[in-house]
Amino acid sequence: QVHLVESGGGLVQAGGSLRISCAASGRAHRDYVVSWFRQSPGQERKFVAAITWSGGTTYYTDSVKGRFTLSKDDAEATVYLQMNDLKPEDTAVYYCAAKLGFHRASVGDKRTYRDWGQGTQVTVSS
């Protein structure tokens, strides 16, 4: 099991930027996939982006392509989500999740993730 802790959320004006972090500890494995999901009030938790730990390959949902960028620090076992040109519709609680093994068809399926962080609030004002 991997323990995940998110940080870096906050309040930002539309058009601004934030970087949120996901620090992993425990039985991390090079074949892990680490993803970000977000959930707005009354909405389902939705996939945002994913990164494979070994190769660093990234995947993004269409609504954030060109604005959000994933990166990782192997030494710190931390994944970063740089969010630029933020929009009010990006407002949500952002959750970090991890699972062992990569399958392109299921990378965005929250039901396949076992390990989750507690979430960090991102609020974008208009």
Side-chain angles (χ1 to χ4, degrees):
Q1 186 174 359
V2 177
H3 182 60
L4 304 170
V5 178
E6 301 97 332
S7 62
L11 173 64
V12 63
Q13 289 188 331
S17 298
L18 271 179
R19 189 180 77 163
I20 56 178
S21 304
C22 173
S25 61
R27 298 185 64 181
H29 189 281
R30 65 186 305 272
D31 290 333
Y32 262 81
V33 175
V34 178
S35 295
W36 287 96
F37 290 78
R38 64 187 180 186
Q39 188 169 18
S40 304
Q43 302 289 322
E44 290 188 14
R45 193 170 298 187
K46 297 179 181 178
F47 173 76
V48 177
I51 186 167
T52 60
W53 197 263
S54 59
T57 303
T58 55
Y59 303 88
Y60 301 92
T61 193
D62 286 346
S63 63
V64 307
K65 285 180 181 176
R67 301 188 298 124
F68 290 12
T69 303
L70 275 170
S71 62
K72 65 183 180 71
D73 183 326
D74 290 346
E76 297 294 326
T78 299
V79 170
Y80 302 99
L81 183 65
Q82 177 68 43
M83 305 182 290
N84 298 328
D85 190 23
L86 282 161
K87 306 176 187 297
E89 52 263 40
D90 295 317
T91 295
V93 177
Y94 283 69
Y95 295 92
C96 177
K99 65 177 177 178
L100 185 62
F102 170 74
H103 301 281
R104 181 64 184 93
S106 64
V107 68
D109 186 348
K110 60 182 180 292
R111 299 169 300 177
T112 64
Y113 288 81
R114 182 185 65 177
D115 302 312
W116 291 85
Q118 82 288 350
T120 186
Q121 176 71 47
V122 172
T123 303
V124 184
S125 63
S126 57

